[in-house]
């Protein structure tokens, strides 16, 4: 006999299990999708045949690799002051301990000991972190809007394209993805703490609910240990707490519980931050200093003050002194704030300065505007556009804006305080995004969260979930009552949200990994093995350096020197070449002309060699590394940093915008205007360099191969830049020169794309002097290590019957770029030949050669 009661109980138990655990497969699916986008898609861009081990993306991941490699050699110690960058001064580091130690420990567990093995391990860390975002996203949304909305959020966040994807793919081992992860985890656990404590007091220290604020504090502490400015999430929580107290009559929250949650969370975070609170000797928002500890402890103190004011209100203190209860809290806060601000300004002006930096982070100026990630998000092209929003967030951005409005509506309708926290976070990140597009990786999480919230709200309104439940239960009557149209509408909404987002993520993730190319890697590998002091550098590279504010750094080993290139490449020079760069991606060593600060910008934009040499001498430069991008697409950035204004480069170094075309015979031509000759095919627009550009050191290095320079000789050239956009620009820049400026400078050059990277040595040069009647010209053909031949020419005037040439190339040299003949020295109808050695040009040997 069939036991219908038993069957019914089994069905009910199955239904309860389904209700409790149905979300788990979806979260697992989210993680799998995240790993697919981040590991499978970019795999072939990371594991390339021309580099042993994995190729790291970007710039900062290479510097993290340097720190991780050093930490493994010195474990458990790590570098906090690095003398191996920003030559000749060194610098305190702001890269946090979390990622360094996580990567070092994972590498050691995996048995990775060589640099190649370490890189091959750490490349997976960002991909895993990006996929794990599904968990805090689910928790945050689930705690406020339920499991269904949480599941949508977990699926969305792993497929947000743009910067959130790019900074979490295989090989981009940087702190950015961990910033997002720990910030989101802090907020999610804070919300979980509020919900867990709602309407229930903690009885003792063994109460299980204490785990929630403790976990919140751990997440907050790890956020700080990942990124020192992470204290900003504490300020968000504090601002939320302030508004809750201010509008307590309208807010649904227990103030005592909220205060205790704050105190416990901030206290635990302070403990986790404490070991790193005194590394930087001054107050700083970006370095590991006591400033962050002051902020956290201040947040604990302020939270306690808020509660004290509340208790005084309840006990009638303010009524006794004639202040209405509604005004008690704001009046007290204003008075206390005024005294605190005056006190801080009097006792520690530096603290006020650091607080001011929090606001100024969204107002970049001058050369900073040339940094791609610092430009204002919605006006990156100079005009307002929503295109960056589509590229970085796809459809989720537009859903998210509606989601923010919807949460604001719910806040006013339900007066649920936790909505306020969500809004403070979302709006704060939107403001940060507007100021600097680098914060798009943060707003990617905001987009996923708010898009999930509004999508869930619409699906509930459509009774979409009820329809699915009825279908699972085969309840056709209920399905008919709800209507197929509602279900189809819900499917369409999900497709509109998910399909373009998934598609963008799938495409972008295939091309997000990148970084050092073959030419740069081979050039810097050559530099490591073939420039002086290899043994000294390889040992010094792994040392733990003594911090020092002395200028220059006093503890450099004898024989070290600086390498100058544009700041983009500084970390590559450190990590790959094991040489010390002048400028680096911390935006150090850049310098400028307007304040006469020596650095890469004034060096490469210098109009004469004497000025460039003064910079090289002051900064201890021995090698110069130029690439085709510095000579073309990045030159504007160098000029902007040098001049300090985004408009001046156009006035000084460029002649306007022209058009490149091809005539009927296939010849390339350039028009200085938008007007084109008849019967030609337009190819592209190009910014036209002016004569001033061709007088700069960068043009002399890369466009002219060092022709005419007295103290710089090319020692290495990489493979050609042919086939790249910058290589095409170099070809066109050479065409522009030959067509419009060669008469003024007196010679023409080959119209071609040359080596992508060129390394020059700064030498004293052999000094050739003697008697002559007419101006003197020195010529020699130089062959690079890739077989390209160019002519080096230098001219000297005769004064009082004598001349002086300073020649940088040596026929008898160990470098692969060398003359293939003797120098030809010409004065009138007199010609003589001379051969030089490395010793001659490196030590400035004086040679007398009369030309009469």
């Amino acid at each position: 006999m069939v036991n219908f009661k038993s069957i019914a109980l089994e069905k009910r138990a199955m239904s309860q299990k389904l209700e409790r655990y149905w979300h788990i497969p979806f979260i697992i699916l989210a993680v799998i999708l995240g790993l697919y986008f981040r590991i499978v898609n970019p795999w072939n861009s990371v594991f390339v045949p021309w580099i042993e081990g994995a190729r790291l993306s970007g710039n900062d991941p290479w510097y993290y690799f340097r720190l991780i490699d050093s930490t493994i050699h010195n474990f458990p110690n790590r570098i906090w002051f690095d003398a191996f960058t920003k030559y000749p001064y060194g610098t305190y580091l702001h890269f946090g301990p979390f990622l360094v130690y996580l990567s070092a420990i994972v590498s050691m567990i995996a048995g990775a000991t060589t640099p190649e093995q370490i890189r091959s391990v750490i490349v997976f860390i960002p991909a895993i972190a990006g996929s794990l975002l599904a968990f805090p996203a689910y928790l945050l949304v689930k705690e406020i809007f339920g499991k269904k909305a949480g599941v949508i959020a977990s699926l969305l966040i792993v497929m947000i394209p743009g910067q959130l994807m790019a900074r979490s793919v295989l090989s981009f081992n940087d702190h950015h993805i961990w910033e997002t992860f720990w910030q989101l985890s802090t907020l999610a656990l804070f919300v979980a703490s509020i919900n867990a404590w709602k309407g229930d007091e903690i009885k003792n220290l063994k109460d299980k609910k204490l785990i929630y604020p403790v976990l919140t504090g751990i997440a907050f502490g790890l956020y700080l240990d990942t990124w020192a400015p992470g204290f900003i999430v504490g300020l968000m929580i504090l601002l939320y707490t302030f508004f809750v107290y201010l509008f307590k009559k309208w807010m649904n929250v227990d103030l005592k519980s909220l205060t205790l949650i704050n105190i416990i969370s901030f206290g635990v975070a302070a403990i986790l931050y404490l070991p790193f609170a005194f590394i930087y000797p001054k107050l700083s928002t970006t370095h590991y200093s006591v400033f962050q500890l002051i902020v956290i402890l201040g947040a604990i103190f302020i939270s306690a003050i808020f509660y004290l004011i509340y208790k005084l209100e309840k006990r009638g203190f303010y009524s006794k002194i004639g202040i209405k209860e509604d005004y008690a809290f704001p009046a007290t806060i204003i008075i206390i704030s005024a005294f605190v601000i005056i006190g801080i300004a009097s006792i520690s002006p530096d603290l006020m300065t650091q607080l001011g930096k929090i606001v100024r982070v969204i107002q970049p100026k001058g050369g900073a505007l040339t940094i791609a990630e610092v430009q204002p998000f919605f006006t990156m092209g100079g005009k307002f556009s929503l295109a960056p929003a589509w590229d970085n967030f796809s459809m989720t951005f537009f859903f998210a804006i509606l989601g923010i409005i919807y949460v604001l509506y719910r806040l006013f309708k339900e007066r649920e305080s936790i909505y306020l926290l969500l809004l403070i976070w979302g709006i704060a990140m939107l403001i940060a995004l507007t100021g600097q597009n680098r914060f798009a990786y943060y707003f990617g999480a905001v987009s996923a969260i708010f898009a999930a919230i509004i999508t869930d709200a619409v699906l509930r309104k459509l009774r979409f979930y009820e329809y699915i439940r009825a279908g699972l239960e085969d309840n056709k009557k209920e399905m008919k009552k709800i209507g197929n149209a509602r279900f189809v509408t819900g499917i369409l909404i999900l497709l509109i949200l998910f399909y373009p987002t998934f598609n963008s993520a799938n495409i972008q993730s295939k091309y997000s990994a990148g970084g050092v190319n073959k030419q740069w890697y081979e050039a810097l590998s050559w530099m490591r093995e073939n420039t002086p002091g290899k043994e000294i550098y390889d040992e010094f590279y792994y040392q733990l350096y003594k911090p020092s504010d002395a200028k220059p750094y006093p503890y450099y080993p004898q024989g070290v020197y600086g390498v100058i290139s544009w700041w983009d490449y500084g970390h590559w020079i450190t990590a790959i070449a094991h040489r010390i760069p002048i400028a680096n991606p911390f935006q150090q060593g850049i310098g400028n002309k307007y304040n006469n600060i020596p650095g890469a910008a004034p060096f490469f934009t210098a109009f004469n060699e004497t000025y460039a040499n003064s910079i090289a001498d002051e900064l201890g430069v021995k090698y110069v590394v130029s690439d085709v991008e510095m000579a073309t697409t990045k030159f504007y950035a160098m000029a902007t940093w040098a001049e300090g204004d985004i408009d001046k480069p156009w006035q000084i170094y460029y002649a306007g915008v022209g058009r490149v075309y091809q005539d009927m015979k296939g010849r390339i031509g350039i028009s200085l205007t938008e007007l084109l000759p008849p019967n030609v095919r337009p190819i592209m627009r190009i910014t036209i360099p002016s004569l001033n550009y061709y007088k700069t050191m960068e043009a002399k290095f890369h466009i002219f191969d060092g022709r005419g320079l007295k103290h710089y000789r090319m020692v290495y050239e990489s493979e050609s830049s042919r086939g790249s956009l910058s290589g095409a620009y170099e070809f066109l820049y050479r065409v522009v020169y030959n067509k419009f400026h060669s008469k003024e400078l007196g010679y023409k050059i080959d119209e071609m794309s040359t080596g992508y990277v060129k390394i020059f040595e700064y030498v004293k040069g052999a000094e050739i002097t003697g008697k002559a009647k007419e101006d003197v010209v020195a010529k020699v053909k130089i062959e690079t290590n890739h077989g390209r031949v160019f002519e080096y020419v230098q001219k000297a005037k005769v004064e009082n019957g004598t001349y002086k040439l300073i020649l940088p190339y040596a026929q008898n040299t160990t470098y692969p770029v060398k003359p293939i003949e003797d120098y030809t020295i010409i004065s009138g109808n007199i010609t003589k030949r001379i051969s030089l050695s490395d010793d001659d040009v490196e030590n400035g040997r004086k040679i007398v050669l009369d030309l009469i």
Side-chain angles (χ1 to χ4, degrees):
M1 187 176 180
V2 179
N3 190 336
F4 292 104
K5 185 176 180 180
S6 177
I7 293 172
L9 288 172
E10 286 180 10
K11 282 187 176 181
R12 187 180 302 170
M14 288 276 293
S15 178
Q16 288 174 348
K17 282 186 177 181
L18 184 63
E19 184 65 31
R20 178 176 291 184
Y21 300 116
W22 68 269
H23 61 287
I24 293 177
F26 286 98
I27 297 174
I28 293 173
L29 173 62
V31 173
I32 292 171
L33 278 174
L35 292 172
Y36 173 79
F37 289 136
R38 289 165 172 81
I39 294 178
V40 177
N41 278 353
W43 184 274
N44 290 335
S45 297
V46 176
F47 292 96
V48 291
W50 46 264
I51 183 172
E52 189 177 351
R55 176 172 69 144
L56 298 173
S57 292
N59 299 310
D60 288 354
W62 280 98
Y63 194 76
Y64 262 113
F65 161 64
R66 180 272 193 283
L67 295 181
I68 295 158
D69 188 17
S70 174
T71 301
I72 291 172
H73 276 76
N74 296 286
F75 198 83
N77 299 309
R78 62 151 283 185
I79 297 171
W80 282 104
F81 180 91
D82 194 357
F84 221 92
T85 192
K86 195 190 173 185
Y87 189 81
Y89 310 120
T91 186
Y92 283 95
L93 300 179
H94 62 280
F95 278 14
F98 173 77
L99 183 57
V100 173
Y101 281 110
L102 173 68
S103 301
I105 292 169
V106 169
S107 297
M108 289 188 292
I109 291 172
T113 55
T114 68
E116 295 76 20
Q117 291 170 343
I118 293 168
R119 289 202 309 271
S120 296
V121 170
I122 64 177
V123 290
F124 292 96
I125 291 174
I128 293 169
S131 304
L132 292 179
L133 279 174
F135 292 100
Y138 168 78
L139 178 62
L140 177 60
V141 179
K142 170 253 182 186
E143 287 292 319
I144 307 174
F145 294 98
K147 285 184 179 181
K148 298 178 181 67
V151 164
I152 296 172
S154 69
L155 288 167
L156 281 176
I157 201 165
V158 299
M159 63 177 71
I160 295 289
Q163 291 198 38
L164 184 60
M165 178 66 70
R167 294 170 190 266
S168 61
V169 293
L170 185 75
S171 85
F172 201 94
N173 194 38
D174 201 350
H175 52 259
H176 300 137
I177 185 58
W178 289 106
E179 289 175 50
T180 309
F181 180 85
W182 290 121
Q183 185 192 76
L184 200 59
S185 297
T186 301
L187 293 169
L189 290 164
F190 184 77
V191 171
S193 300
I194 290 175
N195 287 341
W197 285 36
K198 191 174 291 183
D200 192 9
E201 291 188 3
I202 294 295
K203 306 300 182 184
N204 55 61
L205 292 177
K206 294 182 180 180
D207 197 308
K208 292 181 179 179
K209 292 182 180 179
L210 275 172
I211 191 65
Y212 291 100
V214 169
L215 289 175
T216 304
I218 291 173
F220 184 19
L222 291 175
Y223 184 25
L224 285 164
D225 291 344
T226 298
W227 189 55
F231 65 85
I232 195 72
V233 78
L235 297 183
M236 290 181 199
I237 292 172
L238 195 61
L239 182 62
Y240 158 73
T241 306
F242 168 76
F243 281 119
V244 167
Y245 271 95
L246 187 62
F247 302 111
K248 55 186 172 293
K249 287 187 176 180
W250 296 276
M251 291 289 180
N252 179 23
V253 67
D254 178 63
L255 296 178
K256 182 178 180 181
S257 295
L258 174 60
T259 304
L260 287 172
I261 290 169
N262 280 7
I263 291 171
I264 295 168
S265 299
F266 293 147
V268 172
I271 292 170
L272 287 179
Y273 181 76
L274 187 61
F276 313 105
F278 302 96
I279 287 170
Y280 188 67
K282 303 174 185 177
L283 295 177
S284 172
T285 58
T286 55
H287 290 78
Y288 282 80
S289 73
V290 74
F291 174 80
Q292 287 78 0
L293 189 62
I294 291 172
V295 171
I296 303 169
L297 296 178
I300 294 173
F301 176 74
I302 292 169
S303 297
I305 290 292
F306 287 169
Y307 188 69
L308 177 61
I309 296 169
Y310 168 68
K311 294 300 288 185
L312 289 174
E313 284 180 28
K314 287 295 183 183
R315 293 175 181 176
F317 171 78
Y318 289 97
S319 299
K320 292 177 183 177
I321 60 175
I323 298 177
K324 291 184 178 179
E325 187 176 329
D326 291 343
Y327 303 121
F329 183 78
T332 307
I333 293 301
I334 290 171
I335 293 169
I336 292 174
S337 298
F339 277 108
V340 169
I341 291 171
I342 292 170
I344 292 174
S346 302
I347 299 170
S348 179
D350 190 32
L351 184 56
M352 289 298 296
T353 301
Q354 297 305 319
L355 290 170
K357 287 182 180 179
I358 299 171
V359 177
R360 290 199 296 274
V361 74
I362 61 171
Q363 297 175 334
K365 296 179 181 179
L369 290 171
T370 66
I371 306 171
E373 64 178 25
V374 173
Q375 295 176 17
F377 184 79
F378 294 104
T379 55
M380 283 190 282
K383 295 181 180 179
F384 178 83
S385 173
L386 289 176
W390 178 264
D391 293 337
N392 280 276
F393 317 116
S394 189
M395 190 59 74
T396 64
F397 176 82
F398 305 98
F399 275 66
I401 297 301
L402 294 175
I404 290 173
I405 297 170
Y406 171 71
V407 174
L408 186 62
Y409 161 75
R410 290 281 296 266
L411 174 63
F412 281 107
K413 182 180 179 182
E414 301 172 22
R415 298 175 182 176
E416 180 62 55
S417 74
I418 211 64
Y419 298 152
L420 178 61
L421 176 64
L422 209 57
L423 286 169
I424 288 172
W425 171 61
I427 294 170
M429 291 299 100
L430 181 59
I431 293 170
L433 173 72
T434 303
Q436 293 189 31
N437 80 84
R438 72 182 294 265
F439 294 113
Y441 61 89
Y442 274 120
F443 199 79
V446 175
S447 281
I449 298 303
F450 282 96
I453 290 168
I454 189 64
T455 302
D456 173 71
V458 173
L459 294 179
R460 288 180 186 278
K461 192 73 175 176
L462 291 171
R463 300 180 66 188
F464 181 80
Y465 304 126
E466 295 176 43
Y467 187 93
I468 292 175
R469 178 182 285 275
L472 292 172
E473 295 174 351
D474 198 26
N475 190 340
K476 294 179 180 178
K477 183 178 180 181
E478 183 65 15
M479 292 171 68
K480 186 176 181 180
K481 182 180 177 182
I482 296 169
N484 293 335
R486 287 174 176 263
F487 176 71
V488 172
T489 302
I491 292 293
L492 287 174
I493 289 170
L494 290 172
L495 283 174
I496 291 170
L497 174 62
F498 275 92
Y499 178 74
T501 307
F502 178 93
N503 194 48
S504 294
N506 193 40
I507 293 171
Q508 289 187 24
S509 60
K510 292 177 182 178
Y511 307 103
S512 290
V516 64
N517 59 26
K518 182 181 180 183
Q519 293 95 327
W520 262 102
Y521 185 78
E522 290 181 347
L524 294 178
S525 296
W526 176 88
M527 176 178 276
R528 179 178 176 180
E529 298 297 326
N530 297 281
T531 55
K534 180 182 184 318
E535 294 77 15
I536 296 172
Y537 279 108
D538 283 346
E539 180 183 351
F540 189 56
Y541 184 81
Y542 289 108
Q543 287 183 14
L544 297 172
Y545 313 106
K546 298 178 184 178
S548 175
D549 289 324
K551 294 185 178 181
Y553 183 71
Y555 307 116
Y556 281 118
Q558 189 173 1
V560 300
Y561 47 80
V563 176
I564 196 166
S565 186
W566 190 228
W567 63 261
D568 292 18
Y569 309 118
H571 292 342
W572 296 354
I573 293 168
T574 298
I576 300 171
H578 285 199
R579 296 298 181 268
I580 311 178
I582 305 294
N584 61 45
F586 301 145
Q587 283 87 58
Q588 297 171 330
I590 296 174
N592 60 61
K593 288 181 175 178
Y594 54 90
N595 282 330
N596 200 28
I597 297 175
F603 176 85
F604 286 108
T605 60
F607 292 126
N608 63 76
E609 187 176 354
T610 302
Y611 177 52
N613 292 346
S614 69
I615 294 172
D617 291 337
E618 184 169 347
L619 298 178
V621 171
K622 183 171 177 61
Y623 290 96
V624 179
V625 186
S626 168
D627 83 335
V628 67
E629 295 176 44
M630 291 166 59
T632 57
T633 54
K634 290 183 177 179
F635 184 83
Y636 170 77
M638 295 197 294
T640 302
W641 280 99
E643 305 296 341
D645 186 281
I646 61 173
D647 295 322
K648 283 187 176 180
W650 298 113
Q651 301 162 11
I652 299 172
Y653 303 95
Y654 297 98
V657 177
R659 299 284 296 276
V660 181
Y661 60 86
Q662 188 176 42
D663 66 15
M664 299 290 287
K665 295 182 178 181
R667 294 173 298 192
I668 298 295
I670 296 177
S671 169
L672 295 182
T673 68
E674 290 290 324
L675 299 176
L676 294 175
N679 301 318
V680 299
R681 182 174 68 87
I683 298 176
M684 62 186 290
R685 285 181 172 82
I686 180 177
T687 52
I688 305 294
S690 68
L691 179 61
N692 276 341
Y693 165 81
Y694 292 102
K695 292 179 179 178
T696 65
M697 291 294 288
E698 176 54 37
K700 290 170 184 173
F701 285 131
H702 217 94
I703 303 300
F704 301 129
D705 292 310
R707 177 177 179 141
L709 294 178
K710 299 176 181 179
H711 298 279
Y712 300 89
R713 59 171 172 173
M714 189 190 300
V715 296
Y716 178 89
E717 178 181 43
S718 76
E719 290 181 0
S720 172
S721 60
R722 190 182 299 110
S724 68
L725 176 62
S726 296
Y729 272 116
E730 182 193 0
F731 164 74
L732 293 171
Y733 276 27
R734 287 169 173 255
V735 172
V736 169
Y737 167 77
N738 284 339
K739 184 174 183 180
F740 301 110
H741 303 299
S742 58
K743 288 183 179 179
E744 295 172 80
L745 296 184
Y747 55 88
K748 288 194 173 186
I749 54 177
D750 294 333
E751 295 178 358
M752 62 186 300
S753 301
T754 61
Y756 202 102
V757 180
K758 298 174 184 179
I759 301 175
F760 294 82
E761 184 184 23
Y762 178 40
V763 294
K764 291 181 179 180
E767 186 177 306
I768 315 299
T769 60
K771 297 176 182 179
K773 292 181 179 180
E774 298 183 43
D775 289 350
V776 179
V777 177
K779 295 182 179 180
V780 67
K781 284 186 171 16
I782 309 292
E783 184 177 26
T784 74
N785 47 296
H786 281 281
R788 183 174 70 90
V789 177
F790 64 89
E791 187 174 51
Y792 172 83
V793 179
Q794 191 185 136
K795 298 178 180 180
K797 291 187 176 296
V798 175
E799 296 180 0
N800 300 321
T802 62
Y803 74 94
K804 182 170 73 173
L805 291 168
I806 298 178
L807 302 177
Y809 283 95
Q811 280 72 15
N812 181 20
T813 180
T814 58
Y815 288 119
V817 178
K818 62 182 69 178
I820 54 176
E821 60 186 11
D822 292 344
Y823 282 100
T824 301
I825 314 294
I826 306 169
S827 176
N829 59 0
I830 297 175
T831 300
K832 291 190 177 182
R833 294 184 179 277
I834 190 172
S835 178
L836 301 174
S837 67
D838 275 339
D839 184 65
D840 294 335
V841 300
E842 288 173 1
N843 296 305
R845 181 188 171 199
K846 295 182 180 181
I847 300 172
V848 177
L849 184 69
D850 291 331
L851 298 170
I852 56 175

